[in-house]
Coordinates of all heavy atoms in Angstrom, one line a residue:
L1 N 0.8 -1.2 0.0 CA 0.0 0.0 0.0 C 0.9 1.3 0.0 O 2.0 1.3 0.5 CB -0.9 0.0 1.2 CG -2.0 -1.0 1.3 CD1 -2.7 -0.9 2.7 CD2 -3.0 -0.8 0.2
S2 N 0.3 2.3 -0.5 CA 0.9 3.6 -0.5 C 1.1 4.1 0.9 O 0.3 3.8 1.8 CB 0.1 4.6 -1.3 OG 0.5 5.9 -1.0
P3 N 2.2 4.8 1.2 CA 2.4 5.3 2.5 C 1.3 6.3 2.9 O 1.1 6.7 4.1 CB 3.8 6.0 2.5 CG 4.3 5.8 1.1 CD 3.3 5.0 0.3
K4 N 0.5 6.8 1.9 CA -0.5 7.7 2.2 C -1.8 7.0 2.7 O -2.7 7.6 3.2 CB -0.9 8.5 0.9 CG 0.2 9.4 0.4 CD -0.3 10.1 -0.9 CE 0.8 11.1 -1.4 NZ 0.4 11.8 -2.6
V5 N -1.8 5.7 2.6 CA -2.9 4.9 3.0 C -2.7 4.4 4.4 O -1.7 3.8 4.7 CB -3.2 3.7 2.0 CG1 -4.3 2.8 2.6 CG2 -3.5 4.2 0.6
K6 N -3.7 4.6 5.3 CA -3.6 4.1 6.6 C -4.7 3.1 6.9 O -5.9 3.4 6.6 CB -3.7 5.3 7.6 CG -3.6 4.9 9.1 CD -3.6 6.0 10.0 CE -3.3 5.6 11.4 NZ -3.3 6.7 12.3
V7 N -4.4 1.9 7.3 CA -5.4 0.9 7.6 C -5.7 0.9 9.1 O -4.8 0.9 9.9 CB -4.8 -0.5 7.2 CG1 -5.8 -1.6 7.6 CG2 -4.5 -0.6 5.7
I8 N -7.0 1.0 9.3 CA -7.5 1.0 10.7 C -8.4 -0.2 10.9 O -9.3 -0.5 10.1 CB -8.4 2.3 10.9 CG1 -7.5 3.5 10.6 CG2 -8.9 2.3 12.3 CD1 -8.3 4.7 10.5
Q9 N -8.2 -0.9 12.0 CA -9.0 -2.1 12.3 C -9.6 -2.0 13.6 O -9.0 -1.5 14.6 CB -8.1 -3.4 12.2 CG -7.6 -3.7 10.9 CD -6.8 -5.0 10.9 OE1 -5.9 -5.1 11.7 NE2 -7.1 -5.9 10.0
H10 N -10.9 -2.4 13.7 CA -11.6 -2.4 15.0 C -11.3 -3.8 15.6 O -11.0 -4.8 15.0 CB -13.1 -2.3 14.8 CG -13.6 -1.0 14.3 ND1 -14.3 -0.8 13.2 CD2 -13.5 0.2 14.9 CE1 -14.6 0.4 13.0 NE2 -14.1 1.1 14.0
E11 N -11.4 -3.8 17.0 CA -11.2 -5.1 17.6 C -12.4 -6.1 17.4 O -12.2 -7.3 17.3 CB -11.0 -4.9 19.1 CG -9.7 -4.2 19.5 CD -9.6 -4.1 21.0 OE1 -10.2 -4.9 21.8 OE2 -8.8 -3.2 21.4
N12 N -13.6 -5.5 17.2 CA -14.8 -6.3 17.0 C -15.4 -5.8 15.7 O -15.1 -4.7 15.2 CB -15.8 -6.2 18.1 CG -15.2 -6.6 19.4 OD1 -14.7 -7.7 19.5 ND2 -15.2 -5.8 20.4
R13 N -16.3 -6.6 15.1 CA -17.0 -6.2 13.9 C -17.9 -5.0 14.2 O -18.6 -5.1 15.2 CB -17.9 -7.4 13.4 CG -17.0 -8.5 12.8 CD -18.0 -9.6 12.2 NE -17.2 -10.2 11.1 CZ -17.8 -10.7 10.0 NH1 -19.1 -10.6 9.9 NH2 -17.1 -11.3 9.1
E14 N -17.8 -4.0 13.4 CA -18.6 -2.8 13.7 C -19.6 -2.4 12.6 O -20.4 -1.6 12.7 CB -17.6 -1.6 13.9 CG -16.7 -1.8 15.1 CD -17.4 -1.7 16.4 OE1 -18.6 -1.3 16.5 OE2 -16.8 -2.1 17.4
G15 N -19.4 -3.1 11.4 CA -20.3 -2.7 10.3 C -19.8 -1.6 9.5 O -18.9 -0.9 9.8
C16 N -20.4 -1.5 8.3 CA -20.0 -0.5 7.3 C -20.0 0.9 7.8 O -19.1 1.7 7.7 CB -20.8 -0.7 6.0 SG -20.2 0.3 4.6
A17 N -21.2 1.3 8.3 CA -21.4 2.7 8.6 C -20.4 3.1 9.7 O -19.8 4.2 9.7 CB -22.8 2.9 9.1
R18 N -20.3 2.4 10.8 CA -19.5 2.7 11.9 C -18.0 2.7 11.5 O -17.2 3.6 11.9 CB -19.7 1.8 13.1 CG -18.9 2.2 14.3 CD -19.3 1.5 15.6 NE -20.5 2.1 16.0 CZ -21.5 1.4 16.6 NH1 -21.3 0.1 16.8 NH2 -22.6 2.0 17.0
S19 N -17.6 1.8 10.6 CA -16.3 1.7 10.1 C -15.9 3.0 9.3 O -14.8 3.5 9.4 CB -16.0 0.5 9.3 OG -16.2 -0.7 10.1
R20 N -16.9 3.4 8.5 CA -16.6 4.6 7.7 C -16.5 5.9 8.6 O -15.7 6.7 8.4 CB -17.8 4.8 6.7 CG -17.7 3.8 5.6 CD -18.8 4.0 4.6 NE -18.7 3.1 3.5 CZ -19.4 3.1 2.4 NH1 -20.4 4.0 2.3 NH2 -19.2 2.2 1.5
L21 N -17.3 5.9 9.6 CA -17.2 7.0 10.6 C -15.9 7.0 11.3 O -15.3 8.1 11.5 CB -18.3 7.0 11.6 CG -19.7 7.3 11.1 CD1 -20.8 7.0 12.2 CD2 -19.8 8.8 10.7
T22 N -15.4 5.9 11.6 CA -14.0 5.8 12.2 C -13.0 6.3 11.3 O -12.1 7.1 11.7 CB -13.7 4.3 12.6 OG1 -14.7 3.9 13.6 CG2 -12.3 4.2 13.2
G23 N -13.1 5.9 10.0 CA -12.1 6.4 9.0 C -12.2 7.9 8.8 O -11.2 8.5 8.7
A24 N -13.4 8.4 8.8 CA -13.6 9.8 8.6 C -13.0 10.6 9.7 O -12.5 11.7 9.5 CB -15.1 10.1 8.4
K25 N -13.1 10.1 10.9 CA -12.6 10.8 12.1 C -11.1 11.0 12.0 O -10.5 12.0 12.5 CB -13.0 10.1 13.4 CG -14.4 10.3 13.7 CD -14.8 9.5 15.0 CE -16.3 9.6 15.2 NZ -16.7 8.8 16.4
V26 N -10.4 10.0 11.4 CA -8.9 10.1 11.4 C -8.3 10.6 10.1 O -7.1 10.7 9.9 CB -8.2 8.8 11.8 CG1 -8.7 8.4 13.2 CG2 -8.6 7.7 10.8
A27 N -9.2 10.8 9.1 CA -8.8 11.2 7.7 C -8.1 12.6 7.8 O -8.6 13.4 8.5 CB -9.9 11.2 6.8
T28 N -7.1 12.8 7.0 CA -6.4 14.0 7.0 C -6.4 14.7 5.6 O -5.9 15.8 5.4 CB -4.9 13.9 7.4 OG1 -4.3 12.9 6.6 CG2 -4.9 13.4 8.9
G29 N -6.9 14.0 4.6 CA -6.8 14.5 3.2 C -7.9 15.6 2.9 O -8.7 15.9 3.7
D30 N -7.8 16.2 1.7 CA -8.7 17.2 1.3 C -10.0 16.6 0.9 O -11.1 17.3 1.0 CB -8.1 18.1 0.2 CG -6.9 18.9 0.7 OD1 -6.9 19.2 1.9 OD2 -6.0 19.1 -0.1
V31 N -10.0 15.4 0.3 CA -11.2 14.7 -0.2 C -11.3 13.4 0.5 O -10.3 12.6 0.5 CB -11.1 14.6 -1.7 CG1 -12.3 13.8 -2.2 CG2 -11.1 16.0 -2.4
L32 N -12.4 13.0 1.0 CA -12.7 11.7 1.6 C -13.5 10.9 0.7 O -14.6 11.4 0.3 CB -13.3 11.9 2.9 CG -13.7 10.7 3.7 CD1 -12.5 9.9 4.1 CD2 -14.5 11.1 5.0
M33 N -13.1 9.7 0.3 CA -13.8 8.9 -0.7 C -13.9 7.5 -0.2 O -12.9 6.9 0.2 CB -13.1 9.0 -2.0 CG -13.9 8.3 -3.1 SD -13.1 8.4 -4.7 CE -13.2 10.2 -5.0
F34 N -15.1 6.9 -0.1 CA -15.3 5.5 0.2 C -15.7 4.8 -1.1 O -16.6 5.3 -1.8 CB -16.4 5.4 1.2 CG -16.0 6.0 2.6 CD1 -16.6 7.1 3.0 CD2 -15.1 5.4 3.4 CE1 -16.3 7.7 4.2 CE2 -14.8 5.9 4.6 CZ -15.4 7.1 5.0
V35 N -15.1 3.7 -1.4 CA -15.4 2.9 -2.6 C -15.7 1.5 -2.1 O -14.9 0.8 -1.5 CB -14.2 2.9 -3.6 CG1 -14.6 2.1 -4.8 CG2 -13.8 4.3 -4.0
D36 N -16.9 1.0 -2.4 CA -17.3 -0.3 -2.0 C -16.8 -1.4 -2.9 O -16.4 -1.1 -4.1 CB -18.9 -0.4 -2.0 CG -19.5 0.5 -0.9 OD1 -18.8 0.6 0.2 OD2 -20.5 1.0 -1.1
S37 N -16.8 -2.6 -2.5 CA -16.2 -3.7 -3.3 C -17.0 -4.0 -4.6 O -16.4 -4.5 -5.5 CB -16.1 -4.9 -2.4 OG -17.4 -5.3 -2.0
H38 N -18.2 -3.6 -4.7 CA -19.0 -3.8 -5.9 C -18.9 -2.8 -6.9 O -19.4 -2.9 -8.0 CB -20.5 -4.0 -5.5 CG -21.1 -2.8 -5.0 ND1 -21.0 -2.4 -3.7 CD2 -21.9 -1.8 -5.7 CE1 -21.7 -1.2 -3.6 NE2 -22.2 -0.9 -4.7
I39 N -18.1 -1.7 -6.7 CA -17.9 -0.6 -7.6 C -16.8 -1.0 -8.6 O -15.7 -1.4 -8.2 CB -17.5 0.7 -6.9 CG1 -18.5 1.1 -5.8 CG2 -17.2 1.8 -7.8 CD1 -19.9 1.2 -6.4
E40 N -17.1 -0.9 -9.9 CA -16.2 -1.2 -10.9 C -15.5 0.1 -11.4 O -16.1 1.1 -11.8 CB -16.9 -1.8 -12.1 CG -17.5 -3.2 -11.8 CD -18.2 -3.8 -12.9 OE1 -18.2 -3.2 -14.0 OE2 -18.8 -4.8 -12.7
M41 N -14.2 0.2 -11.2 CA -13.4 1.4 -11.6 C -12.6 1.0 -12.9 O -11.4 1.0 -12.8 CB -12.5 1.8 -10.4 CG -13.3 2.2 -9.2 SD -12.3 2.4 -7.8 CE -12.1 0.7 -7.3
E42 N -13.3 0.8 -14.0 CA -12.7 0.4 -15.2 C -12.0 1.6 -15.9 O -11.0 1.4 -16.6 CB -13.7 -0.2 -16.1 CG -14.2 -1.5 -15.5 CD -15.3 -2.2 -16.4 OE1 -15.6 -1.6 -17.5 OE2 -15.9 -3.2 -16.0
S43 N -12.5 2.8 -15.8 CA -11.9 3.9 -16.5 C -10.7 4.4 -15.7 O -10.7 4.4 -14.4 CB -13.0 5.0 -16.5 OG -12.4 6.3 -16.9
S44 N -9.7 4.9 -16.4 CA -8.6 5.5 -15.7 C -8.9 6.9 -15.1 O -8.1 7.4 -14.4 CB -7.4 5.6 -16.7 OG -7.7 6.5 -17.8
T45 N -10.1 7.4 -15.4 CA -10.4 8.7 -14.9 C -11.6 8.7 -13.9 O -12.2 9.7 -13.6 CB -10.8 9.6 -16.1 OG1 -12.0 9.1 -16.8 CG2 -9.7 9.8 -17.1
W46 N -11.9 7.5 -13.4 CA -13.0 7.4 -12.4 C -12.9 8.4 -11.3 O -13.9 9.0 -10.8 CB -13.2 6.0 -11.9 CG -12.1 5.5 -11.0 CD1 -10.9 4.9 -11.4 CD2 -12.0 5.7 -9.6 NE1 -10.2 4.6 -10.3 CE2 -10.8 5.1 -9.2 CE3 -12.8 6.2 -8.7 CZ2 -10.4 5.1 -7.9 CZ3 -12.5 6.2 -7.3 CH2 -11.2 5.7 -6.9
Y47 N -11.7 8.5 -10.7 CA -11.4 9.4 -9.6 C -11.7 10.8 -9.9 O -12.4 11.5 -9.2 CB -10.0 9.2 -9.1 CG -9.6 10.2 -8.0 CD1 -10.0 10.1 -6.7 CD2 -8.9 11.4 -8.4 CE1 -9.7 11.0 -5.8 CE2 -8.6 12.3 -7.4 CZ -9.0 12.1 -6.1 OH -8.7 13.1 -5.2
H48 N -11.3 11.3 -11.1 CA -11.5 12.6 -11.5 C -13.0 13.0 -11.6 O -13.4 14.1 -11.3 CB -10.8 12.9 -12.8 CG -9.3 12.7 -12.7 ND1 -8.7 11.6 -13.0 CD2 -8.3 13.6 -12.3 CE1 -7.4 11.7 -12.8 NE2 -7.1 12.9 -12.4
H49 N -13.8 12.1 -12.1 CA -15.2 12.3 -12.3 C -15.9 12.5 -11.0 O -16.9 13.3 -10.9 CB -15.9 11.2 -13.0 CG -15.5 11.1 -14.5 ND1 -15.9 12.0 -15.4 CD2 -14.7 10.2 -15.1 CE1 -15.3 11.7 -16.6 NE2 -14.6 10.6 -16.4
L50 N -15.4 11.9 -9.9 CA -16.0 12.1 -8.6 C -15.3 13.3 -7.8 O -16.0 14.0 -7.1 CB -15.8 10.8 -7.8 CG -16.6 9.6 -8.3 CD1 -16.3 8.4 -7.5 CD2 -18.1 9.9 -8.2
A51 N -14.0 13.5 -8.0 CA -13.3 14.5 -7.2 C -13.4 15.9 -7.7 O -13.5 16.8 -6.9 CB -11.8 14.1 -7.1
I52 N -13.5 16.1 -9.0 CA -13.6 17.5 -9.6 C -14.8 18.3 -9.0 O -14.6 19.4 -8.6 CB -13.5 17.5 -11.1 CG1 -12.1 17.1 -11.5 CG2 -13.9 18.8 -11.7 CD1 -11.9 16.9 -13.0
P53 N -16.0 17.7 -9.0 CA -17.1 18.5 -8.4 C -16.9 18.8 -7.0 O -17.3 19.9 -6.5 CB -18.3 17.6 -8.6 CG -17.9 16.6 -9.7 CD -16.4 16.4 -9.6
I54 N -16.2 18.0 -6.2 CA -16.0 18.2 -4.8 C -14.9 19.4 -4.7 O -15.1 20.2 -3.8 CB -15.5 17.0 -4.1 CG1 -16.6 15.9 -4.1 CG2 -15.1 17.2 -2.7 CD1 -16.2 14.5 -3.7
V55 N -13.9 19.3 -5.5 CA -12.9 20.4 -5.4 C -13.4 21.7 -5.8 O -13.1 22.7 -5.2 CB -11.7 20.0 -6.3 CG1 -10.7 21.2 -6.5 CG2 -11.0 18.8 -5.8
E56 N -14.3 21.7 -6.8 CA -15.0 23.0 -7.2 C -15.9 23.5 -6.2 O -16.1 24.7 -6.0 CB -15.7 22.7 -8.5 CG -14.8 22.5 -9.7 CD -15.5 22.1 -11.0 OE1 -16.7 21.9 -11.0 OE2 -14.8 22.1 -12.0
N57 N -16.6 22.7 -5.4 CA -17.5 23.1 -4.4 C -17.4 22.1 -3.2 O -18.0 21.0 -3.3 CB -18.9 23.2 -4.9 CG -19.9 23.6 -3.8 OD1 -19.5 23.8 -2.6 ND2 -21.2 23.7 -4.1
P58 N -16.6 22.4 -2.1 CA -16.4 21.5 -1.0 C -17.7 21.0 -0.3 O -17.6 20.1 0.4 CB -15.5 22.3 -0.1 CG -14.8 23.3 -1.0 CD -15.9 23.6 -2.0
K59 N -18.8 21.6 -0.6 CA -20.0 21.2 0.1 C -20.8 20.1 -0.8 O -21.9 19.7 -0.4 CB -21.0 22.4 0.3 CG -20.4 23.3 1.4 CD -21.3 24.4 1.7 CE -20.7 25.4 2.7 NZ -21.6 26.4 3.1
T60 N -20.1 19.7 -1.9 CA -20.7 18.8 -2.8 C -20.5 17.3 -2.3 O -19.5 17.0 -1.8 CB -20.1 18.9 -4.2 OG1 -20.4 20.2 -4.7 CG2 -20.6 17.9 -5.2
I61 N -21.5 16.5 -2.6 CA -21.4 15.1 -2.4 C -21.5 14.5 -3.8 O -22.4 14.7 -4.5 CB -22.5 14.5 -1.5 CG1 -22.4 15.1 -0.1 CG2 -22.4 13.0 -1.5 CD1 -23.5 14.7 0.8
A62 N -20.5 13.7 -4.1 CA -20.4 13.0 -5.5 C -20.6 11.5 -5.3 O -20.0 11.0 -4.3 CB -19.2 13.4 -6.2
M63 N -21.3 10.9 -6.2 CA -21.4 9.4 -6.1 C -21.4 8.9 -7.5 O -21.8 9.6 -8.5 CB -22.6 9.0 -5.3 CG -23.9 9.5 -5.9 SD -25.3 9.0 -4.8 CE -25.7 7.4 -5.4
Q64 N -21.0 7.6 -7.6 CA -21.0 6.9 -8.9 C -22.5 6.6 -9.3 O -23.4 6.6 -8.5 CB -20.2 5.7 -8.8 CG -20.8 4.6 -7.9 CD -20.6 4.8 -6.5 OE1 -19.9 5.7 -6.0 NE2 -21.2 3.9 -5.7
T65 N -22.7 6.4 -10.6 CA -24.0 6.0 -11.1 C -24.2 4.6 -10.8 O -23.3 3.7 -10.9 CB -24.0 6.2 -12.6 OG1 -23.8 7.5 -13.0 CG2 -25.4 5.8 -13.2
I66 N -25.4 4.3 -10.4 CA -25.8 2.9 -10.0 C -26.6 2.3 -11.2 O -27.6 2.8 -11.6 CB -26.7 2.8 -8.8 CG1 -25.9 3.4 -7.6 CG2 -27.1 1.4 -8.5 CD1 -26.7 3.6 -6.3
D67 N -26.0 1.3 -11.8 CA -26.7 0.7 -13.0 C -28.0 0.0 -12.6 O -28.1 -0.5 -11.5 CB -25.8 -0.4 -13.6 CG -24.6 0.2 -14.4 OD1 -24.7 1.4 -14.8 OD2 -23.6 -0.4 -14.6
V68 N -28.9 0.0 -13.5 CA -30.2 -0.7 -13.2 C -30.3 -2.0 -14.0 O -30.0 -2.0 -15.2 CB -31.4 0.3 -13.7 CG1 -32.7 -0.4 -13.5 CG2 -31.3 1.6 -12.9
I69 N -30.6 -3.0 -13.4 CA -30.8 -4.3 -14.0 C -32.2 -4.8 -13.6 O -32.5 -5.0 -12.5 CB -29.8 -5.4 -13.5 CG1 -28.4 -4.9 -13.8 CG2 -30.0 -6.7 -14.2 CD1 -27.3 -5.7 -13.2
D70 N -33.1 -4.9 -14.6 CA -34.5 -5.2 -14.3 C -34.6 -6.7 -14.0 O -33.7 -7.5 -14.3 CB -35.4 -4.7 -15.4 CG -35.2 -5.5 -16.8 OD1 -34.9 -6.7 -16.7 OD2 -35.4 -4.9 -17.8
D71 N -35.8 -7.0 -13.5 CA -36.0 -8.4 -13.0 C -36.3 -9.4 -14.2 O -36.4 -10.6 -14.0 CB -37.1 -8.5 -12.0 CG -38.4 -8.0 -12.6 OD1 -38.4 -7.3 -13.7 OD2 -39.5 -8.2 -12.0
L72 N -36.4 -8.9 -15.4 CA -36.6 -9.7 -16.6 C -35.3 -10.2 -17.2 O -35.3 -10.9 -18.2 CB -37.4 -9.0 -17.6 CG -38.8 -8.5 -17.1 CD1 -39.5 -7.7 -18.2 CD2 -39.7 -9.7 -16.7
G73 N -34.2 -9.6 -16.7 CA -32.9 -10.0 -17.2 C -32.4 -9.4 -18.4 O -31.4 -9.8 -19.0
T74 N -33.1 -8.4 -18.9 CA -32.7 -7.7 -20.1 C -31.5 -6.8 -19.8 O -31.3 -6.3 -18.6 CB -33.8 -6.8 -20.7 OG1 -34.2 -5.8 -19.7 CG2 -35.0 -7.6 -21.1
K75 N -30.6 -6.6 -20.7 CA -29.4 -5.9 -20.4 C -29.5 -4.4 -20.8 O -29.3 -3.9 -21.8 CB -28.3 -6.5 -21.3 CG -27.9 -7.9 -20.8 CD -26.8 -8.4 -21.6 CE -26.5 -9.8 -21.1 NZ -25.3 -10.4 -21.8
D76 N -30.0 -3.7 -19.8 CA -30.2 -2.2 -19.9 C -29.2 -1.5 -19.0 O -29.6 -0.8 -18.1 CB -31.6 -1.8 -19.6 CG -31.9 -0.3 -19.8 OD1 -31.1 0.3 -20.6 OD2 -32.8 0.2 -19.2
Y77 N -27.9 -1.9 -19.1 CA -26.9 -1.3 -18.2 C -26.6 0.1 -18.6 O -26.6 0.5 -19.7 CB -25.6 -2.2 -18.3 CG -25.8 -3.6 -18.0 CD1 -25.8 -4.6 -19.0 CD2 -26.0 -4.0 -16.7 CE1 -26.0 -5.9 -18.7 CE2 -26.2 -5.4 -16.4 CZ -26.2 -6.3 -17.4 OH -26.4 -7.6 -17.1
G78 N -26.2 0.8 -17.5 CA -25.7 2.2 -17.7 C -26.8 3.3 -17.7 O -26.4 4.4 -17.8
S79 N -28.0 2.9 -17.6 CA -29.1 3.9 -17.6 C -29.0 4.7 -16.3 O -29.4 5.9 -16.2 CB -30.4 3.3 -17.8 OG -30.7 2.4 -16.8
G80 N -28.6 4.1 -15.3 CA -28.4 4.8 -14.0 C -29.6 5.0 -13.2 O -30.7 5.1 -13.7
A81 N -29.5 5.0 -11.9 CA -30.6 5.4 -11.0 C -29.9 6.0 -9.8 O -28.8 5.7 -9.4 CB -31.4 4.1 -10.6
G82 N -30.6 6.9 -9.1 CA -30.1 7.5 -7.9 C -29.3 8.6 -8.3 O -28.5 9.3 -8.0

């Protein structure tokens, strides 16, 4: 890992929300970003698409598009929701 990355571990399982809060409390960077394991970062510019709006307005919350997969199994990926 990069020396800029700090790994924090709880003694007991705390769940996603509490773990993120713990990380946020000790974060020292200008931009705080959480990326879940199901997020695909295929583009080399994924970070820029999320970080630029935050840098331009620090009160902004940026999030990735969530693909929609209907229950009929048709492939309508990329239309986004949320």
